[in-house]
Every structure is written in structure tokens, then in C-alpha cells.
Amino acid sequence: MELLDVIGWAGSALLVWSLLQSRLLRLRALNLVGCLVLTGFNAALEVWPMVGLNVVLAVINVGYLWRMLATRHDDKVYQVVEVRTDDAFLLHVLRNHHDDIRRFNPGFGTDTLARPGTAAFLIVNVDEVAGVVVFHTAGDGVAQVDLDYVIERYRDLTPGEFVFRRSGYFTDRGCRAVITPPGMRSPYYGRLGFERSGDSYLLELVP
């Protein structure tokens, strides 16, 4: 097999693989790379209609990637909705993603929602749920995070930050610090001002 054939097959494989991704950012990034590879491949063969097609697809992917990255920290795009801990839709989301939640937050169970002083938040993008944050007041002015879960489509982004960036959610409940569950996978708290505290992360709140 010649090198050009290998490049063509590799580009095609990337396109197929990209369509199998659940994460939006990863899907667009892989699709973009596949389009660029196939643009070069088809240009070498002088198949200009396919060059045009892949150039257009690449531009579309760049547009989507730019928008996702430019708005990932934009609170006009992601809204925080506080819900009751017995809210039917919250319970539906938790049930629907039960197995995935246990992978990233193995200590969380819905019985946690019955604990006194528990608050629950849905992070939404337009009308689509992107994540869930649950915490409870643990005494001594500490808010203990029980759940910080991101739906797989948004996992390359960090929608939970929109809860932690607003100290009022915690200070209004008499909390001066926020501590995350121990041993959370793929933590992103360092860039939000949290500091490492054993197996957890701690954020001191400014009133």
C-alpha cells in the first residue's frame, strides 16, 4: 500500500471515529483533523469536488470549536438552576446517569439528597442539562460537595464551575469554605481557586 493510500484511509478512519464520540468538543476536533487529512489527500489526487467538500466541513468544524471554546466560561450560555432535592426532573437525571455518576463520584447515592442542609443545582445550556452539583452544609461553615457531575456530551468542558464561581450559593447558607469529595476523577478545581487538601480540594470563600 502506498503512502498516499495510507493517508486516505487514515483520514477516513478519523472521520468515522469522530462520529462515534459522545463528547461534543472531541467530536468536532477529530472531525476537523479528518477533514484536513482528506483535503490534502484529495488535492494530491486532484479530486476537486472532494477537496471543496472537506474544506467546507473543516470551516464548519472550526466555527463550532471556536464557539464552544469561546463560551465555555460564559454565564450567558450556561445557567444555574437551583432545584428542590426531591425535584422529579433532578431525580430523573440522576437515575438516567446512575452508572456514569458512580464512575466519577463513587460515594454518591440519592439517599444523600435527604440529608439536612442539602442543596441541588442543574447547570443548563439553553434547555439541555449539562451538569449537576449537590452539596450540603457540614457545620463549622463548610459546604461539602456531594456530587459534581457533567453529562458526557459536555465532559470536555467544565459547567460545574458556574456554581462554584458564585459564592452566594454558599455564603447565603452560612458557609465560609467549600470542600470537594475525596478522590474525584479528572478534577478541574485548581484553576477555580481551590487548593489541594489531602484527597480533596478546598476553596476559602470571600464574603
PDB file of all heavy atoms in Angstrom, residues 105 108 112 115 119 132-138 142-149 163-164 170 177-182 184 189 194 200-201:
ATOM      1  N   ASN A 105     -18.138   9.659  40.770  1.00  0.00           N
ATOM      2  CA  ASN A 105     -18.463  10.029  42.149  1.00  0.00           C
ATOM      3  C   ASN A 105     -18.942   8.773  42.878  1.00  0.00           C
ATOM      4  O   ASN A 105     -20.137   8.636  43.189  1.00  0.00           O
ATOM      5  CB  ASN A 105     -19.561  11.100  42.175  1.00  0.00           C
ATOM      6  CG  ASN A 105     -19.170  12.388  41.488  1.00  0.00           C
ATOM      7  OD1 ASN A 105     -18.775  13.367  42.109  1.00  0.00           O
ATOM      8  ND2 ASN A 105     -19.282  12.386  40.164  1.00  0.00           N
ATOM      9  N   PHE A 108     -21.431   8.727  45.945  1.00  0.00           N
ATOM     10  CA  PHE A 108     -22.720   9.426  45.912  1.00  0.00           C
ATOM     11  C   PHE A 108     -23.878   8.453  45.734  1.00  0.00           C
ATOM     12  O   PHE A 108     -23.827   7.531  44.933  1.00  0.00           O
ATOM     13  CB  PHE A 108     -22.748  10.439  44.769  1.00  0.00           C
ATOM     14  CG  PHE A 108     -24.054  11.180  44.665  1.00  0.00           C
ATOM     15  CD1 PHE A 108     -24.337  12.230  45.519  1.00  0.00           C
ATOM     16  CD2 PHE A 108     -25.010  10.807  43.726  1.00  0.00           C
ATOM     17  CE1 PHE A 108     -25.547  12.912  45.446  1.00  0.00           C
ATOM     18  CE2 PHE A 108     -26.222  11.476  43.638  1.00  0.00           C
ATOM     19  CZ  PHE A 108     -26.495  12.532  44.503  1.00  0.00           C
ATOM     20  N   THR A 112     -28.306  10.648  49.708  1.00  0.00           N
ATOM     21  CA  THR A 112     -27.600  11.854  50.132  1.00  0.00           C
ATOM     22  C   THR A 112     -28.516  13.070  50.075  1.00  0.00           C
ATOM     23  O   THR A 112     -28.364  14.016  50.863  1.00  0.00           O
ATOM     24  CB  THR A 112     -26.372  12.094  49.221  1.00  0.00           C
ATOM     25  OG1 THR A 112     -25.535  10.941  49.262  1.00  0.00           O
ATOM     26  CG2 THR A 112     -25.571  13.303  49.655  1.00  0.00           C
ATOM     27  N   ARG A 115     -30.276  14.382  53.241  1.00  0.00           N
ATOM     28  CA  ARG A 115     -29.500  14.947  54.348  1.00  0.00           C
ATOM     29  C   ARG A 115     -29.907  16.396  54.589  1.00  0.00           C
ATOM     30  O   ARG A 115     -30.066  17.171  53.645  1.00  0.00           O
ATOM     31  CB  ARG A 115     -28.003  14.864  54.027  1.00  0.00           C
ATOM     32  CG  ARG A 115     -27.114  15.400  55.123  1.00  0.00           C
ATOM     33  CD  ARG A 115     -25.664  15.421  54.705  1.00  0.00           C
ATOM     34  NE  ARG A 115     -25.087  14.092  54.653  1.00  0.00           N
ATOM     35  CZ  ARG A 115     -24.548  13.540  53.576  1.00  0.00           C
ATOM     36  NH1 ARG A 115     -24.538  14.212  52.433  1.00  0.00           N
ATOM     37  NH2 ARG A 115     -24.039  12.338  53.619  1.00  0.00           N
ATOM     38  N   ALA A 119     -28.375  21.134  49.121  1.00  0.00           N
ATOM     39  CA  ALA A 119     -28.835  21.978  48.011  1.00  0.00           C
ATOM     40  C   ALA A 119     -28.443  21.311  46.696  1.00  0.00           C
ATOM     41  O   ALA A 119     -27.391  20.670  46.609  1.00  0.00           O
ATOM     42  CB  ALA A 119     -28.219  23.370  48.101  1.00  0.00           C
ATOM     43  N   VAL A 132     -24.739  18.521  37.056  1.00  0.00           N
ATOM     44  CA  VAL A 132     -25.455  18.560  38.329  1.00  0.00           C
ATOM     45  C   VAL A 132     -24.445  18.762  39.448  1.00  0.00           C
ATOM     46  O   VAL A 132     -23.394  18.112  39.467  1.00  0.00           O
ATOM     47  CB  VAL A 132     -26.229  17.245  38.592  1.00  0.00           C
ATOM     48  CG1 VAL A 132     -27.042  17.348  39.886  1.00  0.00           C
ATOM     49  CG2 VAL A 132     -27.124  16.875  37.424  1.00  0.00           C
ATOM     50  N   VAL A 133     -24.757  19.663  40.364  1.00  0.00           N
ATOM     51  CA  VAL A 133     -23.934  19.865  41.560  1.00  0.00           C
ATOM     52  C   VAL A 133     -24.839  19.751  42.780  1.00  0.00           C
ATOM     53  O   VAL A 133     -25.914  20.358  42.823  1.00  0.00           O
ATOM     54  CB  VAL A 133     -23.229  21.234  41.556  1.00  0.00           C
ATOM     55  CG1 VAL A 133     -22.553  21.503  42.905  1.00  0.00           C
ATOM     56  CG2 VAL A 133     -22.193  21.308  40.431  1.00  0.00           C
ATOM     57  N   VAL A 134     -24.399  18.948  43.752  1.00  0.00           N
ATOM     58  CA  VAL A 134     -25.124  18.784  45.013  1.00  0.00           C
ATOM     59  C   VAL A 134     -24.133  18.997  46.155  1.00  0.00           C
ATOM     60  O   VAL A 134     -23.025  18.458  46.114  1.00  0.00           O
ATOM     61  CB  VAL A 134     -25.757  17.380  45.125  1.00  0.00           C
ATOM     62  CG1 VAL A 134     -26.427  17.197  46.490  1.00  0.00           C
ATOM     63  CG2 VAL A 134     -26.768  17.142  44.001  1.00  0.00           C
ATOM     64  N   PHE A 135     -24.518  19.791  47.143  1.00  0.00           N
ATOM     65  CA  PHE A 135     -23.671  19.933  48.331  1.00  0.00           C
ATOM     66  C   PHE A 135     -24.550  20.062  49.565  1.00  0.00           C
ATOM     67  O   PHE A 135     -25.752  20.323  49.474  1.00  0.00           O
ATOM     68  CB  PHE A 135     -22.729  21.134  48.202  1.00  0.00           C
ATOM     69  CG  PHE A 135     -23.386  22.485  48.290  1.00  0.00           C
ATOM     70  CD1 PHE A 135     -23.650  23.081  49.529  1.00  0.00           C
ATOM     71  CD2 PHE A 135     -23.741  23.179  47.140  1.00  0.00           C
ATOM     72  CE1 PHE A 135     -24.258  24.319  49.612  1.00  0.00           C
ATOM     73  CE2 PHE A 135     -24.348  24.423  47.217  1.00  0.00           C
ATOM     74  CZ  PHE A 135     -24.607  25.006  48.460  1.00  0.00           C
ATOM     75  N   HIS A 136     -23.935  19.874  50.741  1.00  0.00           N
ATOM     76  CA  HIS A 136     -24.657  20.074  51.989  1.00  0.00           C
ATOM     77  C   HIS A 136     -23.787  20.860  52.958  1.00  0.00           C
ATOM     78  O   HIS A 136     -22.558  20.856  52.847  1.00  0.00           O
ATOM     79  CB  HIS A 136     -25.095  18.743  52.610  1.00  0.00           C
ATOM     80  CG  HIS A 136     -23.976  17.950  53.205  1.00  0.00           C
ATOM     81  ND1 HIS A 136     -23.176  17.103  52.453  1.00  0.00           N
ATOM     82  CD2 HIS A 136     -23.493  17.875  54.483  1.00  0.00           C
ATOM     83  CE1 HIS A 136     -22.270  16.524  53.223  1.00  0.00           C
ATOM     84  NE2 HIS A 136     -22.450  16.982  54.460  1.00  0.00           N
ATOM     85  N   THR A 137     -24.429  21.552  53.885  1.00  0.00           N
ATOM     86  CA  THR A 137     -23.694  22.282  54.912  1.00  0.00           C
ATOM     87  C   THR A 137     -23.260  21.273  55.969  1.00  0.00           C
ATOM     88  O   THR A 137     -24.087  20.568  56.555  1.00  0.00           O
ATOM     89  CB  THR A 137     -24.568  23.371  55.533  1.00  0.00           C
ATOM     90  OG1 THR A 137     -25.803  22.796  55.979  1.00  0.00           O
ATOM     91  CG2 THR A 137     -24.880  24.457  54.506  1.00  0.00           C
ATOM     92  N   ALA A 138     -21.934  21.217  56.178  1.00  0.00           N
ATOM     93  CA  ALA A 138     -21.372  20.178  57.050  1.00  0.00           C
ATOM     94  C   ALA A 138     -21.009  20.698  58.431  1.00  0.00           C
ATOM     95  O   ALA A 138     -20.389  19.984  59.215  1.00  0.00           O
ATOM     96  CB  ALA A 138     -20.135  19.567  56.382  1.00  0.00           C
ATOM     97  N   VAL A 142     -18.605  25.003  56.630  1.00  0.00           N
ATOM     98  CA  VAL A 142     -18.079  24.247  55.484  1.00  0.00           C
ATOM     99  C   VAL A 142     -19.216  23.692  54.643  1.00  0.00           C
ATOM    100  O   VAL A 142     -20.173  23.118  55.171  1.00  0.00           O
ATOM    101  CB  VAL A 142     -17.170  23.087  55.954  1.00  0.00           C
ATOM    102  CG1 VAL A 142     -16.755  22.216  54.771  1.00  0.00           C
ATOM    103  CG2 VAL A 142     -15.942  23.627  56.669  1.00  0.00           C
ATOM    104  N   ALA A 143     -19.109  23.871  53.325  1.00  0.00           N
ATOM    105  CA  ALA A 143     -20.029  23.253  52.377  1.00  0.00           C
ATOM    106  C   ALA A 143     -19.337  22.041  51.772  1.00  0.00           C
ATOM    107  O   ALA A 143     -18.285  22.174  51.137  1.00  0.00           O
ATOM    108  CB  ALA A 143     -20.417  24.240  51.284  1.00  0.00           C
ATOM    109  N   GLN A 144     -19.886  20.872  51.988  1.00  0.00           N
ATOM    110  CA  GLN A 144     -19.311  19.635  51.472  1.00  0.00           C
ATOM    111  C   GLN A 144     -19.993  19.269  50.155  1.00  0.00           C
ATOM    112  O   GLN A 144     -21.205  19.049  50.114  1.00  0.00           O
ATOM    113  CB  GLN A 144     -19.492  18.501  52.473  1.00  0.00           C
ATOM    114  CG  GLN A 144     -19.086  17.120  51.953  1.00  0.00           C
ATOM    115  CD  GLN A 144     -17.602  17.021  51.688  1.00  0.00           C
ATOM    116  OE1 GLN A 144     -16.791  17.175  52.595  1.00  0.00           O
ATOM    117  NE2 GLN A 144     -17.222  16.757  50.434  1.00  0.00           N
ATOM    118  N   VAL A 145     -19.219  19.244  49.081  1.00  0.00           N
ATOM    119  CA  VAL A 145     -19.770  18.853  47.781  1.00  0.00           C
ATOM    120  C   VAL A 145     -19.994  17.345  47.774  1.00  0.00           C
ATOM    121  O   VAL A 145     -19.076  16.573  48.071  1.00  0.00           O
ATOM    122  CB  VAL A 145     -18.823  19.261  46.631  1.00  0.00           C
ATOM    123  CG1 VAL A 145     -19.388  18.789  45.289  1.00  0.00           C
ATOM    124  CG2 VAL A 145     -18.606  20.768  46.623  1.00  0.00           C
ATOM    125  N   ASP A 146     -21.197  16.932  47.468  1.00  0.00           N
ATOM    126  CA  ASP A 146     -21.525  15.510  47.379  1.00  0.00           C
ATOM    127  C   ASP A 146     -21.461  15.004  45.946  1.00  0.00           C
ATOM    128  O   ASP A 146     -21.144  13.836  45.711  1.00  0.00           O
ATOM    129  CB  ASP A 146     -22.929  15.264  47.934  1.00  0.00           C
ATOM    130  CG  ASP A 146     -23.045  15.675  49.395  1.00  0.00           C
ATOM    131  OD1 ASP A 146     -22.251  15.173  50.211  1.00  0.00           O
ATOM    132  OD2 ASP A 146     -23.913  16.513  49.707  1.00  0.00           O
ATOM    133  N   LEU A 147     -21.773  15.886  44.999  1.00  0.00           N
ATOM    134  CA  LEU A 147     -21.804  15.481  43.600  1.00  0.00           C
ATOM    135  C   LEU A 147     -21.442  16.661  42.711  1.00  0.00           C
ATOM    136  O   LEU A 147     -21.982  17.760  42.885  1.00  0.00           O
ATOM    137  CB  LEU A 147     -23.204  14.976  43.219  1.00  0.00           C
ATOM    138  CG  LEU A 147     -23.428  14.605  41.742  1.00  0.00           C
ATOM    139  CD1 LEU A 147     -22.576  13.402  41.356  1.00  0.00           C
ATOM    140  CD2 LEU A 147     -24.905  14.325  41.470  1.00  0.00           C
ATOM    141  N   ASP A 148     -20.523  16.439  41.809  1.00  0.00           N
ATOM    142  CA  ASP A 148     -20.207  17.406  40.752  1.00  0.00           C
ATOM    143  C   ASP A 148     -20.074  16.580  39.483  1.00  0.00           C
ATOM    144  O   ASP A 148     -19.021  16.048  39.171  1.00  0.00           O
ATOM    145  CB  ASP A 148     -18.901  18.143  41.081  1.00  0.00           C
ATOM    146  CG  ASP A 148     -18.537  19.176  40.015  1.00  0.00           C
ATOM    147  OD1 ASP A 148     -19.356  19.398  39.103  1.00  0.00           O
ATOM    148  OD2 ASP A 148     -17.439  19.742  40.093  1.00  0.00           O
ATOM    149  N   TYR A 149     -21.184  16.478  38.770  1.00  0.00           N
ATOM    150  CA  TYR A 149     -21.258  15.559  37.629  1.00  0.00           C
ATOM    151  C   TYR A 149     -21.542  16.321  36.348  1.00  0.00           C
ATOM    152  O   TYR A 149     -22.384  17.222  36.311  1.00  0.00           O
ATOM    153  CB  TYR A 149     -22.372  14.532  37.861  1.00  0.00           C
ATOM    154  CG  TYR A 149     -22.599  13.618  36.681  1.00  0.00           C
ATOM    155  CD1 TYR A 149     -21.653  12.658  36.322  1.00  0.00           C
ATOM    156  CD2 TYR A 149     -23.758  13.727  35.913  1.00  0.00           C
ATOM    157  CE1 TYR A 149     -21.864  11.835  35.223  1.00  0.00           C
ATOM    158  CE2 TYR A 149     -23.972  12.901  34.821  1.00  0.00           C
ATOM    159  CZ  TYR A 149     -23.017  11.960  34.483  1.00  0.00           C
ATOM    160  OH  TYR A 149     -23.215  11.147  33.394  1.00  0.00           O
ATOM    161  N   VAL A 163     -21.442  27.069  39.340  1.00  0.00           N
ATOM    162  CA  VAL A 163     -21.908  27.043  40.722  1.00  0.00           C
ATOM    163  C   VAL A 163     -20.818  27.571  41.645  1.00  0.00           C
ATOM    164  O   VAL A 163     -21.053  28.428  42.490  1.00  0.00           O
ATOM    165  CB  VAL A 163     -22.328  25.615  41.135  1.00  0.00           C
ATOM    166  CG1 VAL A 163     -22.673  25.573  42.619  1.00  0.00           C
ATOM    167  CG2 VAL A 163     -23.509  25.135  40.305  1.00  0.00           C
ATOM    168  N   PHE A 164     -19.592  27.080  41.465  1.00  0.00           N
ATOM    169  CA  PHE A 164     -18.508  27.432  42.381  1.00  0.00           C
ATOM    170  C   PHE A 164     -18.026  28.868  42.215  1.00  0.00           C
ATOM    171  O   PHE A 164     -17.431  29.432  43.128  1.00  0.00           O
ATOM    172  CB  PHE A 164     -17.341  26.453  42.189  1.00  0.00           C
ATOM    173  CG  PHE A 164     -17.722  25.027  42.423  1.00  0.00           C
ATOM    174  CD1 PHE A 164     -17.678  24.097  41.399  1.00  0.00           C
ATOM    175  CD2 PHE A 164     -18.181  24.622  43.668  1.00  0.00           C
ATOM    176  CE1 PHE A 164     -18.051  22.780  41.616  1.00  0.00           C
ATOM    177  CE2 PHE A 164     -18.563  23.302  43.894  1.00  0.00           C
ATOM    178  CZ  PHE A 164     -18.500  22.392  42.866  1.00  0.00           C
ATOM    179  N   PHE A 170     -23.192  29.601  48.545  1.00  0.00           N
ATOM    180  CA  PHE A 170     -22.635  29.017  49.761  1.00  0.00           C
ATOM    181  C   PHE A 170     -22.712  29.981  50.948  1.00  0.00           C
ATOM    182  O   PHE A 170     -23.115  29.588  52.045  1.00  0.00           O
ATOM    183  CB  PHE A 170     -21.184  28.602  49.508  1.00  0.00           C
ATOM    184  CG  PHE A 170     -21.024  27.694  48.329  1.00  0.00           C
ATOM    185  CD1 PHE A 170     -20.674  28.189  47.086  1.00  0.00           C
ATOM    186  CD2 PHE A 170     -21.259  26.327  48.451  1.00  0.00           C
ATOM    187  CE1 PHE A 170     -20.538  27.351  45.986  1.00  0.00           C
ATOM    188  CE2 PHE A 170     -21.131  25.478  47.369  1.00  0.00           C
ATOM    189  CZ  PHE A 170     -20.775  25.992  46.134  1.00  0.00           C
ATOM    190  N   ALA A 177     -16.314  28.083  53.434  1.00  0.00           N
ATOM    191  CA  ALA A 177     -15.380  27.272  52.650  1.00  0.00           C
ATOM    192  C   ALA A 177     -16.154  26.159  51.958  1.00  0.00           C
ATOM    193  O   ALA A 177     -17.219  25.728  52.421  1.00  0.00           O
ATOM    194  CB  ALA A 177     -14.284  26.686  53.541  1.00  0.00           C
ATOM    195  N   VAL A 178     -15.609  25.697  50.832  1.00  0.00           N
ATOM    196  CA  VAL A 178     -16.196  24.591  50.064  1.00  0.00           C
ATOM    197  C   VAL A 178     -15.136  23.507  49.935  1.00  0.00           C
ATOM    198  O   VAL A 178     -13.988  23.795  49.591  1.00  0.00           O
ATOM    199  CB  VAL A 178     -16.626  25.046  48.650  1.00  0.00           C
ATOM    200  CG1 VAL A 178     -17.264  23.880  47.894  1.00  0.00           C
ATOM    201  CG2 VAL A 178     -17.584  26.219  48.724  1.00  0.00           C
ATOM    202  N   ILE A 179     -15.513  22.271  50.201  1.00  0.00           N
ATOM    203  CA  ILE A 179     -14.581  21.155  50.055  1.00  0.00           C
ATOM    204  C   ILE A 179     -15.201  20.104  49.148  1.00  0.00           C
ATOM    205  O   ILE A 179     -16.406  19.826  49.225  1.00  0.00           O
ATOM    206  CB  ILE A 179     -14.185  20.558  51.421  1.00  0.00           C
ATOM    207  CG1 ILE A 179     -13.036  19.562  51.249  1.00  0.00           C
ATOM    208  CG2 ILE A 179     -15.372  19.906  52.119  1.00  0.00           C
ATOM    209  CD1 ILE A 179     -12.346  19.197  52.532  1.00  0.00           C
ATOM    210  N   THR A 180     -14.400  19.554  48.242  1.00  0.00           N
ATOM    211  CA  THR A 180     -14.895  18.590  47.261  1.00  0.00           C
ATOM    212  C   THR A 180     -14.782  17.172  47.806  1.00  0.00           C
ATOM    213  O   THR A 180     -14.046  16.921  48.760  1.00  0.00           O
ATOM    214  CB  THR A 180     -14.088  18.691  45.956  1.00  0.00           C
ATOM    215  OG1 THR A 180     -12.735  18.267  46.201  1.00  0.00           O
ATOM    216  CG2 THR A 180     -14.078  20.119  45.438  1.00  0.00           C
ATOM    217  N   PRO A 181     -15.501  16.220  47.204  1.00  0.00           N
ATOM    218  CA  PRO A 181     -15.381  14.825  47.634  1.00  0.00           C
ATOM    219  C   PRO A 181     -13.960  14.318  47.419  1.00  0.00           C
ATOM    220  O   PRO A 181     -13.281  14.740  46.478  1.00  0.00           O
ATOM    221  CB  PRO A 181     -16.372  14.082  46.727  1.00  0.00           C
ATOM    222  CG  PRO A 181     -17.286  15.124  46.203  1.00  0.00           C
ATOM    223  CD  PRO A 181     -16.476  16.375  46.116  1.00  0.00           C
ATOM    224  N   PRO A 182     -13.473  13.439  48.273  1.00  0.00           N
ATOM    225  CA  PRO A 182     -12.115  12.898  48.090  1.00  0.00           C
ATOM    226  C   PRO A 182     -12.029  11.998  46.869  1.00  0.00           C
ATOM    227  O   PRO A 182     -12.981  11.291  46.533  1.00  0.00           O
ATOM    228  CB  PRO A 182     -11.874  12.099  49.379  1.00  0.00           C
ATOM    229  CG  PRO A 182     -13.245  11.759  49.882  1.00  0.00           C
ATOM    230  CD  PRO A 182     -14.124  12.905  49.475  1.00  0.00           C
ATOM    231  N   MET A 184     -11.962  12.537  43.608  1.00  0.00           N
ATOM    232  CA  MET A 184     -12.737  12.752  42.392  1.00  0.00           C
ATOM    233  C   MET A 184     -11.868  12.584  41.159  1.00  0.00           C
ATOM    234  O   MET A 184     -10.725  13.037  41.130  1.00  0.00           O
ATOM    235  CB  MET A 184     -13.364  14.146  42.384  1.00  0.00           C
ATOM    236  CG  MET A 184     -14.689  14.229  43.075  1.00  0.00           C
ATOM    237  SD  MET A 184     -15.582  15.713  42.585  1.00  0.00           S
ATOM    238  CE  MET A 184     -15.897  15.379  40.863  1.00  0.00           C
ATOM    239  N   TYR A 189     -10.528  21.794  39.673  1.00  0.00           N
ATOM    240  CA  TYR A 189     -10.744  22.824  40.671  1.00  0.00           C
ATOM    241  C   TYR A 189      -9.567  23.787  40.830  1.00  0.00           C
ATOM    242  O   TYR A 189      -9.764  24.916  41.281  1.00  0.00           O
ATOM    243  CB  TYR A 189     -11.060  22.174  42.024  1.00  0.00           C
ATOM    244  CG  TYR A 189     -12.259  21.261  41.960  1.00  0.00           C
ATOM    245  CD1 TYR A 189     -12.113  19.882  41.997  1.00  0.00           C
ATOM    246  CD2 TYR A 189     -13.532  21.789  41.838  1.00  0.00           C
ATOM    247  CE1 TYR A 189     -13.216  19.053  41.925  1.00  0.00           C
ATOM    248  CE2 TYR A 189     -14.649  20.969  41.756  1.00  0.00           C
ATOM    249  CZ  TYR A 189     -14.479  19.592  41.798  1.00  0.00           C
ATOM    250  OH  TYR A 189     -15.561  18.772  41.704  1.00  0.00           O
ATOM    251  N   PHE A 194      -9.423  26.702  44.053  1.00  0.00           N
ATOM    252  CA  PHE A 194      -9.347  25.669  45.077  1.00  0.00           C
ATOM    253  C   PHE A 194      -7.883  25.301  45.323  1.00  0.00           C
ATOM    254  O   PHE A 194      -7.045  25.372  44.418  1.00  0.00           O
ATOM    255  CB  PHE A 194     -10.088  24.404  44.623  1.00  0.00           C
ATOM    256  CG  PHE A 194     -11.585  24.480  44.698  1.00  0.00           C
ATOM    257  CD1 PHE A 194     -12.309  25.187  43.739  1.00  0.00           C
ATOM    258  CD2 PHE A 194     -12.285  23.831  45.703  1.00  0.00           C
ATOM    259  CE1 PHE A 194     -13.687  25.244  43.788  1.00  0.00           C
ATOM    260  CE2 PHE A 194     -13.675  23.878  45.754  1.00  0.00           C
ATOM    261  CZ  PHE A 194     -14.377  24.587  44.789  1.00  0.00           C
ATOM    262  N   SER A 200      -8.862  15.867  48.674  1.00  0.00           N
ATOM    263  CA  SER A 200      -9.919  16.768  48.222  1.00  0.00           C
ATOM    264  C   SER A 200      -9.335  18.116  47.797  1.00  0.00           C
ATOM    265  O   SER A 200      -8.121  18.312  47.825  1.00  0.00           O
ATOM    266  CB  SER A 200     -10.945  16.979  49.352  1.00  0.00           C
ATOM    267  OG  SER A 200     -11.500  15.756  49.777  1.00  0.00           O
ATOM    268  N   TYR A 201     -10.240  19.024  47.412  1.00  0.00           N
ATOM    269  CA  TYR A 201      -9.864  20.398  47.094  1.00  0.00           C
ATOM    270  C   TYR A 201     -10.680  21.328  47.980  1.00  0.00           C
ATOM    271  O   TYR A 201     -11.869  21.077  48.220  1.00  0.00           O
ATOM    272  CB  TYR A 201     -10.118  20.717  45.622  1.00  0.00           C
ATOM    273  CG  TYR A 201      -9.126  20.085  44.684  1.00  0.00           C
ATOM    274  CD1 TYR A 201      -9.269  18.768  44.269  1.00  0.00           C
ATOM    275  CD2 TYR A 201      -8.039  20.800  44.202  1.00  0.00           C
ATOM    276  CE1 TYR A 201      -8.361  18.178  43.401  1.00  0.00           C
ATOM    277  CE2 TYR A 201      -7.121  20.228  43.327  1.00  0.00           C
ATOM    278  CZ  TYR A 201      -7.288  18.917  42.938  1.00  0.00           C
ATOM    279  OH  TYR A 201      -6.388  18.349  42.083  1.00  0.00           O
TER     280      TYR A 201
END
